[in-house]
């Protein structure tokens, strides 16, 4: 007969039980040991115990045991469990993190607009906020630079029922962009920006699979310099498609861009 062995581990050294989270489809988690991050695509019952299959942003699949305290959810240690049949369904999310509205129709376009500097900016905003913008009826247009912004704003004729939001690259104190922004801001115009030279930098390097965005010497074309420093073909169009394809949701973008786009959407959708 085995004798009873008391647990002499001090209470402060015992691990607190982690919250149990149903491993529902599309839930994004990080495996605690390997750091592999991906979305849940299925759970299975095996002879060794339940497993979960994750898919990362590149389409790679990994299977992990659903061990206690085995995963991180938004930085918090959790235990994944098999979702119960007929249990509550976690609301689907858009790429921006908003609750998706199944079957929602696009709203008729508002009079208000959001202007961004270039085509790449517009494509990135569409990729992450496209669903939200269609529901809100907000149209995004690109300007090919902001040198002519004062004349464009005058022609648009912003008003309380037709607000104009503008997203500017490299909007830092003392820059050309900051001086132009100061000429057009009023109650019906909001100009905001991020500190990056180009919107490429607003994508997290880890999402692109690089250690960091290189520093390009002054006087060189920045995008071409980036391609050269990273050893990519000096084709900026192809490089942008590579960067854009790495963006799956707001998690792949820097907070300095996220906050500014959300601010513009809120501004142009305010009630009259």
């Amino acid at each position: 007969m085995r004798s009873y062995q008391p647990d002499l581990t001090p209470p402060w050294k015992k691990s607190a039980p982690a919250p149990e989270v149903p491993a529902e489809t599309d839930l994004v988690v990080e495996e605690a040991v390997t750091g592999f991050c991906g979305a849940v695509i299925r759970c299975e019952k095996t002879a060794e115990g339940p497993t979960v299959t994750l898919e990362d942003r590149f389409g790679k699949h990994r299977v992990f045991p659903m061990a206690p305290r085995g995963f991180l959810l938004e930085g918090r240690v959790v235990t994944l469990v098999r979702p119960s049949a007929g249990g509550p369904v976690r609301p689907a999310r858009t790429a921006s993190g908003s609750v998706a509205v199944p079957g929602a129709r696009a709203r008729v376009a508002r009079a208000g607009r959001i202007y961004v500097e270039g085509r790449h900016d517009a494509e990135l905003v569409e990729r992450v906020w496209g669903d939200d913008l269609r529901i809100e009826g907000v149209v995004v247009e690109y300007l090919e630079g902001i040198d002519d912004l004062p004349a464009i704003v005058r022609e648009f004729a912003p008003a309380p029922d037709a607000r104009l939001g503008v997203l500017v690259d490299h909007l830092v104190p003392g820059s050309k962009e900051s001086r132009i922004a100061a000429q057009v801001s009023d109650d019906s115009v909001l100009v905001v920006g991020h500190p990056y030279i180009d919107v490429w930098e607003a994508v997290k390097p880890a999402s692109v699979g690089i250690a960091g965005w290189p520093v390009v010497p002054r006087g060189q074309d920045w995008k071409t310099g980036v391609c050269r420093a990273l050893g990519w073909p000096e084709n900026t169009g192809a490089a942008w498609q590579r960067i854009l394809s790495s963006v799956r949701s707001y998690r792949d973008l820097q907070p300095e861009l996220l906050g500014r786009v959300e601010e513009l959407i809120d501004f142009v959708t305010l009630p009259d």
Side-chain angles (χ1 to χ4, degrees):
M1 180 176 179
R2 297 178 61 184
S3 60
Y4 170 71
Q5 297 292 328
D7 183 359
L8 301 180
T9 305
W12 60 88
K13 290 189 176 181
K14 294 181 179 180
S15 296
E20 294 186 346
V21 175
E24 296 167 346
T25 302
D26 293 333
L27 178 72
V28 177
V29 294
E30 178 183 340
E31 203 275 329
V33 176
T34 64
F36 185 90
C37 183
V40 173
I41 61 173
R42 64 175 171 272
C43 298
E44 296 178 296
K45 186 176 181 181
T46 71
E48 291 76 24
T51 64
V52 60
T53 301
L54 304 182
E55 180 184 56
D56 72 5
R57 65 174 56 87
F58 305 109
K60 183 179 180 181
H61 291 187
R62 290 279 298 274
V63 180
F64 298 100
M66 297 170 71
R69 302 178 62 84
F71 298 87
L72 300 177
L73 176 60
E74 297 181 351
R76 181 182 61 165
V77 176
V78 299
T79 297
L80 289 186
V81 296
R82 290 171 60 86
S84 58
V89 177
R90 185 171 60 92
R93 299 278 175 174
T94 66
S96 71
S98 302
V99 175
V101 183
R105 295 183 177 181
R107 176 174 174 162
V108 175
R110 295 172 181 268
R113 290 287 188 275
I114 292 176
Y115 286 167
V116 298
E117 279 206 54
R119 180 170 59 85
H120 293 179
D121 306 66
E123 289 177 345
L124 187 60
V125 169
E126 163 61 27
R127 190 170 188 88
V128 176
W129 288 275
D131 290 339
D132 307 55
L133 293 167
R134 280 182 283 278
I135 289 175
E136 294 290 350
V138 177
V139 174
V140 175
E141 300 180 12
Y142 66 90
L143 302 171
E144 292 291 359
I146 65 165
D147 289 348
D148 297 326
L149 185 60
I152 292 170
V153 171
R154 286 194 297 273
E155 182 179 354
F156 183 85
D161 60 346
R163 293 184 176 89
L164 179 61
V166 185
L167 178 69
V168 177
D169 297 342
H170 199 231
L171 187 61
V172 295
S175 66
K176 174 192 74 173
E177 291 82 1
S178 67
R179 292 191 293 273
I180 293 174
Q183 298 177 42
V184 300
S185 297
D186 68 19
D187 291 343
S188 298
V189 181
L190 176 64
V191 181
V192 300
H194 55 75
Y196 305 112
I197 294 173
D198 189 273
V199 78
W200 287 21
E201 282 191 292
V203 180
K204 292 180 178 177
S207 297
V208 185
I210 60 177
W213 291 105
V215 176
V216 177
R218 292 176 65 91
Q220 291 188 23
D221 177 73
W222 188 84
K223 293 177 181 176
T224 303
V226 166
C227 294
R228 186 177 300 127
L230 294 175
W232 295 353
E234 293 182 21
N235 180 332
T236 58
W240 170 242
Q241 291 307 312
R242 177 175 182 168
I243 296 165
L244 185 63
S245 67
S246 72
V247 177
R248 296 182 59 179
S249 76
Y250 71 96
R251 295 182 179 88
D252 298 305
L253 302 182
Q254 300 287 9
E256 290 84 353
L257 176 66
L258 292 173
R260 302 294 74 75
V261 176
E262 298 285 353
E263 189 177 354
L264 290 177
I265 295 173
D266 289 345
F267 178 74
V268 300
T269 57
L270 284 171
D272 295 349

